[in-house]
Amino acid sequence: MKRLLIIVLILTAIGITVFYQSNNAILVKVEKISKKDLNLTINLSGNLSFLRKIEIYPKISGVVKEVRVKPGDKVKKGDILAIIDAEDLKKQIEQIKNIIDLAKISIAFGTLNSQSEFKITSDQIKTLESYYESLKKLYEERIIKSPINGFIAKVNLSPNETVQISQNNLNLNNLLGNFSSLLNMFNLALPQNNPAFIIIDPTSLNAILKVDENNVLKIREGQKAIITVDALDQNPWEGKVTYVSKIPSLNKDGTYAYEVYIPIPQLGEKVVEGMTISAIINIGVKKDVITIPLSAITFKEGKTYVYVYENGKAQEREVIIGDMTLDEIEIKEGLKEGDLIITSPIDKIANNKKVKIDNEIKR
C-alpha cells in the first residue's frame, strides 16, 4: 500500500512538472525589425610611435662643461641643453686670424716673394677668410640648444666628458695650394658630427596600425577612428587616417601587413613609444538595411538562424547575413520589417517553445 502511494505521488509530481512547463512561457526580450543605416567598421591593432625624433649632434670638440637636461625633461625651442668648453677651437680661430693678417701684410709689402717657402694669392686669402668666418659661427655652437619644443628622450653627454669630433678629410691643397702646409703646422681641420641628444616632438605621435590585404583597400585618408591605448585608464581617443602604406611589411608569422597612420597629438605627453593599441576605423555606411543585434544570431550545422516571436512561440528562422559591426549584423534574407526577433535569453529557448514578451516594444 505504501509503495503504491509513493508511485502515485511520483507520477503526480511528474505530471505537475510537465503541466507547469507546458503552460508557463519563458520571459523573453524582443526587438521590432526596421531598416536603418549600418556604420561599417574595421578593427585593427598596432603600436604608438613618435614620427619626429630630432637628433642633436655636437659640432665642436672639447670638454663638456655643463649638461642641463636629463631624459624625460620638457624643453622649449632655444633652451640650452649643454655647454662645451671649446678653447682649442677658439685658439684655432685666433691662429687663422693671425695667418690672414700676416698674409695680407706680406702681400702688401712683397715679403712673400718667389724665394719664400710659402706662396699665397689673394684668392687663397679669401678662402681662408671664408674658413675663418665658418669657424667663428661654429664656435657659437659650443652652446647646444634645442631646435624644437619637446621632451628629452636620450642624453649621450655627461659633464667633464671629452667630446672628440672626427676630423674631416678635407683636401685643403685643392683650396690653398702650397699654402695648405702653413695650416697643417697648426693642425687645423673642419669637424664632423657625433651624437649628443635625442628630442621627441610629442605632437608627432601616431597610431600605427596593421591591416591585411583583404581590408587595406577599404581604408582611405580622412576616415574616422576610435583608438584605445591598452595602458591608459582614460579611453577612447579620436583620430583620422592620414596615410595608408602601399608597400607591405613582413610580420613575424610570415604574413604581410600594410601600415595605417593616425595622428593623435593630444596623447603625446601621456604615453611612451611602443605602447600597444587597438582601433576601430569607420569605413563607410550602408543605407536602409535590416540589422539585428549580433547576440540574436545562432549557428547550427553551418547555417545561421534567429528566433522570431509568432503567436506566443519562438519560431526558428534561417537567415542570410551580410556585413557586421561589433554589436550589429546585417540580414540580407530571412527577415522583413515589422518582424519581432527574440534577442534574449537565446540559450533558454528552442523552436516552437512558448515565450512571453518581457519588454516594451519600440515602435
Side-chain angles (χ1 to χ4, degrees):
M1 186 68 180
K2 288 184 178 181
R3 176 178 290 183
L4 181 61
L5 180 60
I6 293 173
I7 293 174
V8 171
L9 291 174
I10 291 174
L11 291 176
T12 301
I14 293 173
I16 292 173
T17 301
V18 172
F19 176 82
Y20 178 82
Q21 291 179 344
S22 63
N23 287 276
N24 284 271
I26 297 174
L27 297 178
V28 295
K29 297 186 182 299
V30 301
E31 184 176 302
K32 190 174 183 179
I33 296 296
S34 62
K35 288 186 176 181
K36 61 180 180 179
D37 296 344
L38 178 65
N39 291 316
L40 301 179
T41 60
I42 293 179
N43 299 315
L44 302 175
S45 61
N47 299 89
L48 295 177
S49 180
F50 294 97
L51 300 189
R52 192 183 184 199
K53 305 180 184 76
I54 306 297
E55 294 182 341
I56 312 286
Y57 302 93
K59 298 180 180 179
I60 58 176
S61 298
V63 177
V64 179
K65 185 176 180 180
E66 185 179 354
V67 177
R68 296 190 178 183
V69 294
K70 62 182 183 301
D73 285 353
K74 290 179 63 175
V75 293
K76 294 181 179 180
K77 182 177 180 179
D79 283 354
I80 296 176
L81 308 179
I83 299 175
I84 296 176
D85 186 351
E87 285 301 314
D88 289 343
L89 180 59
K90 186 177 181 181
K91 291 178 181 178
Q92 289 181 12
I93 293 172
E94 293 172 351
Q95 289 168 351
I96 289 183
K97 183 64 168 65
N98 292 336
I99 292 172
I100 293 172
D101 292 342
L102 176 62
K104 287 181 177 180
I105 293 173
S106 298
I107 288 178
F109 289 93
T111 55
L112 287 180
N113 52 38
S114 58
Q115 305 299 321
S116 175
E117 180 182 356
F118 303 107
K119 296 179 181 180
I120 186 68
T121 66
S122 297
D123 289 340
Q124 290 171 335
I125 290 178
K126 289 180 180 179
T127 300
L128 274 176
E129 288 176 332
S130 177
Y131 184 44
Y132 168 73
E133 293 298 326
S134 296
L135 288 184
K136 281 190 2 179
K137 291 181 180 179
L138 190 62
Y139 181 69
E140 297 175 2
E141 299 291 340
R142 72 190 187 281
I143 301 176
I144 302 176
K145 298 179 180 181
S146 174
I148 62 169
N149 297 331
F151 57 87
I152 304 297
K154 192 171 184 179
V155 176
N156 295 322
L157 294 181
S158 57
N160 301 318
E161 175 185 351
T162 298
V163 178
Q164 185 62 49
I165 308 300
S166 59
Q167 290 187 339
N168 187 13
N169 188 21
L170 179 66
N171 189 359
L172 291 176
N173 289 324
N174 292 336
L175 295 174
L176 303 175
N178 294 333
F179 196 64
S180 62
S181 59
L182 187 58
L183 290 180
N184 292 333
M185 292 174 58
F186 296 95
N187 296 316
L188 300 178
L190 290 174
Q192 285 185 330
N193 295 334
N194 285 320
F197 301 93
I198 296 178
I199 302 179
I200 288 177
D201 179 0
T203 65
S204 70
L205 182 69
N206 269 247
I208 302 181
L209 307 166
K210 301 285 188 178
V211 58
D212 60 32
E213 62 183 23
N214 296 322
N215 289 310
V216 65
L217 295 180
K218 299 176 184 178
I219 300 177
R220 293 178 174 82
E221 293 181 8
Q223 290 174 338
K224 294 182 179 180
I226 301 297
I227 299 165
T228 299
V229 182
D230 296 346
L232 291 183
D233 293 330
Q234 185 181 357
N235 279 300
W237 303 86
E238 295 183 357
K240 288 185 179 181
V241 175
T242 57
Y243 174 74
V244 182
S245 66
K246 302 298 183 183
I247 300 175
S249 57
L250 185 64
N251 294 324
K252 292 181 179 179
D253 60 2
T255 60
Y256 286 94
Y258 297 82
E259 291 184 339
V260 177
Y261 286 72
I262 302 174
I264 40 176
Q266 66 270 35
L267 271 179
E269 296 185 9
K270 300 177 183 292
V271 298
V272 295
E273 178 101 359
M275 281 185 170
T276 55
I277 57 173
S278 58
I280 301 172
I281 299 179
N282 190 333
I283 60 172
V285 178
K286 270 194 170 181
K287 298 286 188 179
D288 296 324
V289 295
I290 290 177
T291 65
I292 64 173
L294 196 58
S295 59
I297 293 289
T298 61
F299 299 95
K300 184 169 60 177
E301 298 177 351
K303 296 182 178 181
T304 308
Y305 296 90
V306 298
Y307 287 107
V308 179
Y309 178 86
E310 289 183 348
N311 301 320
K313 290 185 178 181
Q315 298 295 331
E316 191 176 65
R317 188 178 297 181
E318 184 181 355
V319 295
I320 305 299
I321 60 176
D323 289 309
M324 68 179 70
T325 66
L326 286 177
D327 52 11
E328 287 185 300
I329 188 165
E330 176 191 6
I331 303 298
K332 291 185 173 182
E333 296 180 17
L335 294 176
K336 64 181 183 300
E337 287 187 273
D339 284 343
L340 295 177
I341 62 156
I342 299 173
T343 58
S344 68
I346 300 300
D347 58 337
K348 294 183 179 179
I349 57 177
N351 193 32
N352 289 319
K353 189 76 173 180
K354 284 189 176 183
V355 292
K356 182 179 180 181
I357 297 176
D358 190 36
N359 67 295
E360 182 180 347
I361 301 173
K362 295 181 180 180
R363 299 296 180 182

